[in-house]
Amino acid sequence: MNIDKWLGLSTEPAIMIAQYGELKRQIPWMYSLLIVNALAVAYTHYLYAPNWLVIYIPVLLIIASTWRILHWMLSRDAAIVDAARARFQIRNATLVSIPLSIAFVGWALFIDQYGGQIEHGHVAIFIAVTMIGCITCLVHLPQAALLVMAFVTSPYVAYSFIQGNRVFIAIAINIALVTGVVVKILLDNFSAFVRLVRVQETLAIEQREAQRLSKENALLAMTDSLTGLPNRRYFFQRLEELLCTGRVSKERFVVGVFDLDRFKAVNDSYGHLFGDRLLSAVGERFAGRAGETLVIARLGGDEFGILITDDVDRAREIGQDLCDVLACPFEIDGNRVSVGCSGGLAMFPEAGSSAHELFDRSDYTLYHVKSVRRGSCALFSLEHETLIRSERSIEAALQGANLEAELHVQFQPIICAETMTVLGVEALGRWTSPRVGVVPPEQFITTAERLGIIHAITLKLFQKALHSLAFMPQAIGLSFNLSAQDIISPDTVCRLIDEITDAGIDPKRVTFELTETALMRDFTAAVSGIKRLRSLGSRIALDDFGAGYSSLGYLHRLPLDRVKVDRSFVSDISKPSGRNIVNAILGLCQTLGLDCIIEGVETEQQLQQLRSLGYRIAQGYYFARPMPLEAFLAWLESGWSAELRLPSENPKRLKSVA
Ligand code: C2E
Ligand code: CA
Ligand code: CA
């Protein structure tokens, strides 16, 4: 270190490495020049000087020079050398210049003792040309150039003065002045070189920073800010990449879509901020499972996309593991919430060969899993393929359907269990398509919702139901099912009200039935729709209560009139647990001042049990199945009426009608 300081060598790594690179290229030339020039002098003095001066010493000098040439030629490339190594080489080159300068100049002065004026002249030229050549080669190491100048010029000038020849004294002084000027120019050039290296270094740093920032930006553009997981863009980009390689290598991989089961309910009950926290906690759990071969990305909302590239035969287990990871409740702000998730998987190439196909199939599988077994995960199979095919044909038939001709309504009575009178009818939509036959209402309603044509269907069914209602006794009310999308659409609500007015029906006779899913989709819009219908005088019933999430919050916060207990409870009524639940629901409704209707009564025994529990209003096959208007009117005629007799008076007839 000290010797470097003393020699005035640079300590900046970038400069040292740049210097090293230049020297590696120039030093071999410098020694080659020395060898050639020394050989020329030895040759011109061969006849005059002793052998040790014209043979042995030149050979030694050539060996030393060749060693230096090889040393530099074989040294490491500048691109891979580190600063310490470069510094070592530069220091070496500087120090080696001293003995070699002395050796060459000493040899030249000795040989100058021999020969005539021409030979003396050759020595002077040798010293001048060689030194200027060497100094020029050392342009990137000015310290060495200065040393060479000092160790060659001074002895030669001194020697010339001692010799006393005026011409050679003048030549020596001339050489000293010229080398002085050359060295001055070299020093200026070296400063410019140093500045250039520094600018290059700064540019390189800036470029590296720019690259780092652009990498960071690219990463941010591919990351979901809420969960820290990769985002939708990354997911589809990666999927395309996998498809490209998969098409060539035939390597299989799995695409998956996962969706939280109860996120909407949590979001509605606790607010969006809480929902965001929950999503971020979900992201954390997923991130714990993600890795090189399992990409988990947030596609938006509560939907996540996955890509499995290894161990694809275990894809279902891997997917199920993700469902299980979310099955444990989350603790957020002191609240324990349980969301759960379901997933659908599709394997390349079996389930599809394009991103669209694979995504569509996994999405379909998810939709299917949600309807049969929430909280689990399934792989797209032949069974799904068949379902898709039939659904696609139903979709096509529904889109081209003549609603007026193909839709009709059936009516199922709602009975007062105390007086056995008919309180009303529930209108149930029926679709008979000339292309695909009879399609169950649950299926065509869901399909219509998916296709965005539910409003037209609802309105047509409602028109028909109101039209039929006009043929029924005034005491009979109409219960009409609305789909999730109907109640949140102000336009549909408006049209429903218009239909009631146009039909001249008392709005109080109409009850609209809504399921919890309808309310969960957009709570605020649903409430405003409900309020408009109620302000008209119509009533609102919460349908299928107990089958969904049955958030008590809904019962409490919603402007409701009735609750319809899901028919699944009736079948359990013989067991104490089932009875307890049914009893508790009734108690809850009574506390909240809501009418409670029990659906799905199929036997006399069930009816008796329900009665003993205090249920007043019931519906089910025991009384009657849904039937067209004419059949319903005939059924009424056959003994039932809006103000009716007890079943004990006429139990047989009851059954025969049902
Ligand atoms: P929902 O609103 O719960 O209607 C009651 C369903 O239970 C009807 O099925 C009815 O036939 C059936 N049911 C009645 N009593 C009994 C019984 O004692 N035992 C059994 N096992 N079932 C009984 P349906 O007509 O097949 O309708 C199914 C669902 O389709 C309805 O369930 C409703 O959610 C939907 N739906 C039907 N019509 C319409 C409609 O016009 N609009 C809308 N949005 N949805 C409708
Ligand atoms: Ca209903
Ligand atoms: Ca129901």
Side-chain angles (χ1 to χ4, degrees):
M1 173 65 212
N2 283 339
I3 194 159
D4 292 352
K5 212 170 175 182
W6 187 78
L7 288 170
L9 296 176
S10 171
T11 51
E12 291 175 48
I15 294 179
M16 291 191 295
I17 291 171
Q19 269 182 297
Y20 169 84
E22 298 296 336
L23 292 174
K24 181 170 160 57
R25 281 192 290 122
Q26 287 157 359
I27 285 187
W29 287 111
M30 182 182 85
Y31 282 106
S32 310
L33 179 139
L34 272 170
I35 292 172
V36 172
N37 289 5
L39 280 174
V41 172
Y43 172 72
T44 53
H45 288 74
Y46 189 70
L47 296 175
Y48 312 105
N51 274 357
W52 65 272
L53 266 180
V54 289
I55 297 175
Y56 305 134
I57 292 205
V59 166
L60 285 179
L61 289 175
I62 288 168
I63 290 173
S65 299
T66 311
W67 163 62
R68 294 308 292 163
I69 290 174
L70 290 174
H71 172 82
W72 276 97
M73 284 179 78
L74 299 176
S75 66
R76 240 173 270 169
D77 207 71
I80 54 160
V81 85
D82 60 9
R85 183 75 201 162
R87 172 195 298 228
F88 173 78
Q89 293 280 46
I90 292 168
R91 185 196 302 142
N92 251 2
T94 315
L95 292 176
V96 166
S97 70
I98 302 171
L100 278 175
S101 300
I102 294 172
F104 271 95
V105 81
W107 171 71
L109 297 183
F110 266 111
I111 214 166
D112 195 44
Q113 307 302 313
Y114 305 93
Q117 290 304 327
I118 294 177
E119 283 74 25
H120 291 318
H122 187 185
V123 170
I125 289 173
F126 166 74
I127 287 178
V129 169
T130 311
M131 185 168 50
I132 291 172
C134 290
I135 288 171
T136 312
C137 289
L138 291 170
V139 62
H140 294 105
L141 190 53
Q143 293 82 352
L146 277 168
L147 286 171
V148 169
M149 186 187 85
F151 282 97
V152 176
T153 331
S154 343
Y156 185 62
V157 171
Y159 168 82
S160 302
F161 273 100
I162 293 166
Q163 293 291 309
N165 183 315
R166 277 186 310 117
V167 176
F168 287 106
I169 290 174
I171 289 176
I173 292 172
N174 203 342
I175 291 174
L177 287 175
V178 170
T179 39
V181 171
V182 170
V183 165
K184 161 79 180 86
I185 291 168
L186 289 192
L187 285 174
D188 289 348
N189 276 351
F190 183 70
S191 305
F193 168 75
V194 168
R195 278 199 300 276
L196 181 72
V197 172
R198 282 186 188 140
V199 168
Q200 280 174 343
E201 168 76 353
T202 318
L203 277 177
I205 290 173
E206 278 170 9
Q207 202 176 354
R208 278 200 295 274
E209 180 64 9
Q211 267 172 358
R212 190 187 62 79
L213 283 176
S214 93
K215 248 190 202 167
E216 213 170 84
N217 276 344
L219 198 74
L220 272 180
M222 296 285 179
T223 308
D224 171 58
S225 56
L226 187 63
T227 57
L229 292 174
N231 62 12
R232 188 180 188 88
R233 183 191 300 202
Y234 177 85
F235 177 80
F236 283 102
Q237 195 167 309
R238 185 81 188 95
L239 176 53
E240 285 296 346
E241 279 169 20
L242 285 173
L243 279 168
C244 276
T245 43
R247 280 182 197 126
V248 182
S249 64
K250 301 269 171 278
E251 225 163 278
R252 294 152 82 213
F253 64 87
V254 171
V255 178
V257 183
F258 283 69
D259 183 284
L260 305 186
D261 290 334
R262 286 173 291 275
F263 181 70
K264 188 86 181 80
V266 171
N267 217 20
D268 283 345
S269 311
Y270 294 91
H272 292 288
L273 224 68
F274 188 91
D276 282 355
R277 293 244 182 96
L278 177 62
L279 282 175
S280 130
V282 166
E284 242 170 70
R285 284 199 195 169
F286 273 165
R289 287 293 195 274
E292 213 30 28
T293 56
L294 174 60
V295 172
I296 308 179
R298 180 170 170 238
L299 303 178
D302 60 341
E303 192 183 43
F304 297 82
I306 74 160
L307 296 169
I308 305 172
T309 49
D310 192 28
D311 218 0
V312 291
D313 291 324
R314 280 190 56 248
R316 222 196 61 74
E317 286 161 57
I318 297 171
Q320 188 57 50
D321 175 56
L322 293 180
C323 296
D324 295 345
V325 155
L326 294 199
C328 315
F330 288 85
E331 272 297 329
I332 294 169
D333 297 341
N335 293 300
R336 239 171 113 81
V337 287
S338 162
V339 277
C341 93
S342 312
L345 306 169
M347 174 116 55
F348 171 86
E350 290 88 337
S353 54
S354 71
H356 176 76
E357 259 177 348
L358 288 166
F359 190 78
D360 212 43
R361 300 263 148 102
S362 49
D363 198 38
Y364 179 81
T365 316
L366 166 68
Y367 156 79
H368 188 70
V369 163
K370 285 234 175 205
S371 60
V372 293
R373 216 160 68 95
R374 276 169 183 265
S376 69
C377 160
L379 188 66
F380 185 84
S381 65
L382 214 71
E383 176 206 349
H384 295 118
E385 183 69 53
T386 322
L387 277 171
I388 279 196
R389 289 242 168 89
S390 75
E391 253 168 54
R392 294 278 141 88
S393 49
I394 289 174
E395 273 178 16
L398 193 59
Q399 269 168 325
N402 174 350
L403 299 184
E404 177 61 37
E406 295 172 29
L407 286 178
H408 66 278
V409 184
Q410 291 200 344
F411 299 93
Q412 186 181 33
I414 299 169
I415 308 289
C416 170
E418 273 173 5
T419 60
M420 292 308 279
T421 51
V422 180
L423 297 172
V425 284
E426 177 174 5
L428 295 156
R430 297 289 178 258
W431 176 41
T432 311
S433 159
R435 284 160 72 181
V436 288
V438 174
V439 180
E442 267 149 340
Q443 195 173 0
F444 78 76
I445 296 287
T446 326
T447 309
E449 281 181 335
R450 201 170 50 241
L451 295 176
I453 55 169
I454 183 69
H455 306 304
I457 288 174
T458 300
L459 289 168
K460 182 54 72 190
L461 288 170
F462 192 51
Q463 254 176 25
K464 293 195 168 201
L466 286 175
H467 181 259
S468 300
L469 191 66
F471 295 92
M472 298 181 199
Q474 276 290 327
I476 289 184
L478 170 76
S479 279
F480 186 81
N481 295 288
L482 288 184
S483 106
Q485 287 174 19
D486 295 325
I487 192 67
I488 60 173
S489 153
D491 184 49
T492 309
V493 171
C494 210
R495 301 270 300 274
L496 290 169
I497 294 172
D498 287 350
E499 292 294 346
I500 299 177
T501 322
D502 291 353
I505 299 274
D506 180 2
K508 292 194 183 67
R509 284 178 77 187
V510 182
T511 301
F512 290 100
E513 297 192 0
L514 294 166
T515 57
E516 275 172 296
T517 33
L519 306 169
M520 275 162 57
R521 197 162 288 185
D522 187 341
F523 189 78
T524 327
V527 167
S528 93
I530 290 174
K531 281 187 177 158
R532 282 184 68 194
L533 294 172
R534 281 185 97 221
S535 69
L536 197 73
S538 295
R539 278 177 289 192
I540 304 293
L542 185 62
D543 205 354
D544 301 344
F545 186 75
Y549 313 121
S550 302
S551 153
L552 290 183
Y554 284 124
L555 274 191
H556 188 64
R557 284 156 64 201
L558 276 171
L560 294 174
D561 302 284
R562 306 179 141 183
V563 166
K564 288 185 88 172
V565 182
D566 191 70
R567 65 172 181 262
S568 57
F569 293 102
V570 177
S571 43
D572 286 342
I573 201 155
S574 49
K575 298 181 210 144
S577 59
R579 212 167 21 247
N580 284 345
I581 295 176
V582 170
N583 204 13
I585 297 176
L586 182 66
L588 193 71
C589 290
Q590 281 165 348
T591 313
L592 294 171
L594 303 171
D595 288 342
C596 190
I597 302 163
I598 186 98
E599 288 189 279
V601 181
E602 292 183 353
T603 63
E604 165 100 43
Q605 194 193 5
Q606 284 170 348
L607 178 66
Q608 296 306 347
Q609 276 169 326
L610 288 163
R611 258 204 199 127
S612 69
L613 287 175
Y615 273 88
R616 276 189 56 247
I617 315 174
Q619 184 183 344
Y621 291 168
Y622 174 66
F623 307 107
R625 285 181 180 257
M627 49 202 151
L629 176 69
E630 300 71 33
F632 173 70
L633 293 176
W635 176 81
L636 267 183
E637 281 295 304
S638 69
W640 288 87
S641 81
E643 65 284 351
L644 258 180
R645 58 205 74 167
L646 291 170
S648 48
E649 290 171 26
N650 205 350
K652 280 206 178 96
R653 173 177 286 175
L654 236 178
K655 274 181 198 147
S656 68
V657 173

